Amino acid sequence: LMEQTWRGGSVAKRLAESSRSMLGGSSKTVREEAGKGMVLVSRFTTPVLRDGTDVPVPTFSSPGFNTPFGVAEFLPNLVSQLLTEYASKSPNMTEQEETALKNRVEGVLYYFIHSCRLGQSSSVAGFMENSIPLLLTVQEDGDKEFVYVGTMALELIATSLRQVAVAERVCQSAENVLNQSSSWRVRLAAVNLLRELGHSFALESVLKDKIVSLLDKSMGDTVPEVRQAACLSLAGLLRTMPETVVKDLIARAPKPRRRGAKAKQADKTEEEKATALVNRHAKVLAVAAAVLSCPTSLPDWMADAVTALSSLIDEEPMIRTSITKTVGDFRKSHQDVWDEVRATWADDQLRLVQEMSGFQSYFS
């Protein structure tokens, strides 16, 4: 089919039929080859970017997008069916039934993996938006090898997309998952997808601003792992953002607790205490993201950001750990410019940093 290109209609038809029947085969090699075959059929029948011309991104409802080989009708229906079946797996499902379901899902994952590896991401752009929820949902599975295939598909999609319109729809799908999923592992995968998408489209200000906003919101997630991942993801993107955005994050720094503050907490319910802890941790992580965004340089606001964290002494263990790690990472990454820190920072600021991080060496 790759040799015959547009003349290989009969080959494309055979390949589509055989790939569809083997997409959920019992052999991983067969599933992978079936996914690759579906990519070649999609390439044969879908508009792509040629000679620098920006062809409108096809969707399932685009006129003329349906192919004579049934890819456009088959794949979206299969993805929707698999998402429903996988998300609502019965506890009474036998091991054989679960394996068969995961094999079919994995076949679809390989379809997206090879669309990116073969440089055909624009040919399958119309399938990506509706498939992101399925690719994210598999991240909560207990099979590490199966999860790895899903992670690989998500990373390749985020780093291979070239059309902004497709990336915006993928971003919207990830946002919907963040807002609706009850699984923290799925939300964590959505955060990682947004991070990679933000780096891939760092020059697209509208899309990047949207991603930064979603990561900022995710720092208030109820699960610490998601909050911390959002913090680190945001730190990487802040390097390309205006300084006003960074200063806004630093301005959120919580004030040190007053004496008797913990006694007042005793009057609150457990739910109120948990909410207050998450909110305070989110504010600390916002400042931490600003600090981590400049691992070697010393912008004017760095002293205020680091000392704002170092002054927070009487904190809950989770918050205390985040502060200690951030200040420690700052000291280690700025060892080469520490003479400049001593020369420009006030004695009180240096004392706070020293007390918070203790003795640090470059190799610690």
Side-chain angles (χ1 to χ4, degrees):
L1 181 60
M2 295 181 72
E3 288 290 335
Q4 295 293 321
T5 62
W6 60 270
R7 295 166 296 180
S10 60
V11 179
K13 184 177 181 181
R14 282 191 178 184
L15 184 59
E17 292 172 350
S18 59
S19 297
R20 285 174 60 172
S21 63
M22 294 187 291
L23 204 59
S26 58
S27 167
K28 179 181 287 289
T29 303
V30 172
R31 294 195 295 272
E32 186 169 357
E33 290 300 322
K36 188 187 299 184
M38 295 291 287
V39 173
L40 296 178
V41 175
S42 297
R43 173 182 178 271
F44 178 80
T45 57
T46 308
V48 295
L49 300 181
R50 295 187 179 91
D51 301 327
T53 303
D54 192 1
V55 178
V57 179
T59 62
F60 297 141
S61 58
S62 298
F65 184 61
N66 288 346
T67 73
F69 312 118
V71 177
E73 300 89 341
F74 165 72
L75 196 62
N77 292 334
L78 176 62
V79 167
S80 178
Q81 178 186 352
L82 290 176
L83 178 60
T84 302
E85 292 181 12
Y86 186 84
S88 58
K89 286 188 298 184
S90 171
N92 299 325
M93 180 180 289
T94 65
E95 183 178 351
Q96 185 177 4
E97 292 173 337
E98 184 175 1
T99 300
L101 174 60
K102 289 165 65 174
N103 287 346
R104 293 162 63 203
V105 173
E106 192 173 276
V108 173
L109 296 179
Y110 280 123
Y111 170 81
F112 288 102
I113 287 172
H114 285 291
S115 73
C116 299
R117 283 182 171 175
L118 296 173
Q120 304 300 329
S121 59
S122 60
S123 297
V124 298
F127 299 105
M128 287 189 178
E129 177 187 5
N130 290 17
S131 303
I132 291 298
L134 176 62
L135 272 61
L136 290 172
T137 301
V138 302
Q139 296 302 304
E140 64 178 339
D141 197 273
D143 186 342
K144 292 185 178 180
E145 186 175 352
F146 180 59
V147 169
Y148 175 74
V149 175
T151 302
M152 184 165 45
L154 289 169
E155 290 180 353
L156 284 171
I157 287 173
T159 55
S160 301
L161 289 178
R162 294 295 177 266
Q163 294 170 293
V164 180
V166 180
E168 288 175 345
R169 297 210 297 263
V170 169
C171 179
Q172 184 61 52
S173 294
E175 180 182 6
N176 293 338
V177 171
L178 278 173
N179 294 333
Q180 299 170 9
S181 178
S182 59
S183 170
W184 70 267
R185 288 186 174 85
V186 174
R187 299 198 301 274
L188 177 61
V191 166
N192 293 335
L193 173 63
L194 290 171
R195 179 195 66 231
E196 297 299 329
L197 205 60
H199 287 298
S200 297
F201 291 88
L203 299 180
E204 299 294 335
S205 58
V206 175
L207 177 58
K208 185 176 63 176
D209 290 348
K210 175 70 172 177
I211 292 173
V212 167
S213 175
L214 291 174
L215 293 175
D216 187 2
K217 181 180 177 182
S218 296
M219 286 194 298
D221 194 273
T222 56
V223 178
E225 287 82 356
V226 179
R227 294 200 295 270
Q228 292 161 0
C231 171
L232 295 176
S233 300
L234 183 60
L237 293 176
L238 285 178
R239 301 168 194 172
T240 63
M241 298 297 290
E243 192 174 273
T244 54
V245 177
V246 180
K247 290 183 176 180
D248 175 67
L249 294 174
I250 298 172
R252 302 181 197 175
K255 296 180 180 180
R257 293 183 184 276
R258 296 180 180 179
R259 290 183 178 180
K262 287 191 174 181
K264 294 181 180 179
Q265 290 282 337
D267 299 333
K268 296 182 179 180
T269 64
E270 291 299 323
E271 184 177 353
E272 291 173 335
K273 290 179 183 178
T275 302
L277 177 62
V278 169
N279 292 338
R280 191 169 181 84
H281 194 203
K283 293 177 181 179
V284 168
L285 291 176
V287 183
V291 173
L292 296 174
S293 68
C294 296
T296 55
S297 58
L298 279 174
D300 296 338
W301 47 260
M302 184 63 79
D304 293 335
V306 176
T307 53
L309 291 177
S310 300
S311 62
L312 301 175
I313 301 174
D314 188 19
E315 299 293 334
E316 298 291 339
M318 177 174 57
I319 298 178
R320 177 79 173 182
T321 300
S322 296
I323 295 173
T324 303
K325 187 176 187 309
T326 301
V327 177
D329 288 345
F330 165 77
R331 288 206 60 181
K332 285 188 287 185
S333 63
H334 287 77
Q335 283 293 318
D336 293 340
V337 293
W338 200 250
D339 289 340
E340 183 181 349
V341 174
R342 288 197 185 98
T344 56
W345 289 24
D347 291 340
D348 290 344
Q349 292 174 325
L350 289 171
R351 178 179 55 78
L352 281 172
V353 174
Q354 181 68 34
E355 291 175 352
M356 176 58 65
S357 59
F359 176 78
Q360 295 282 346
S361 70
Y362 183 83
F363 301 99
S364 62

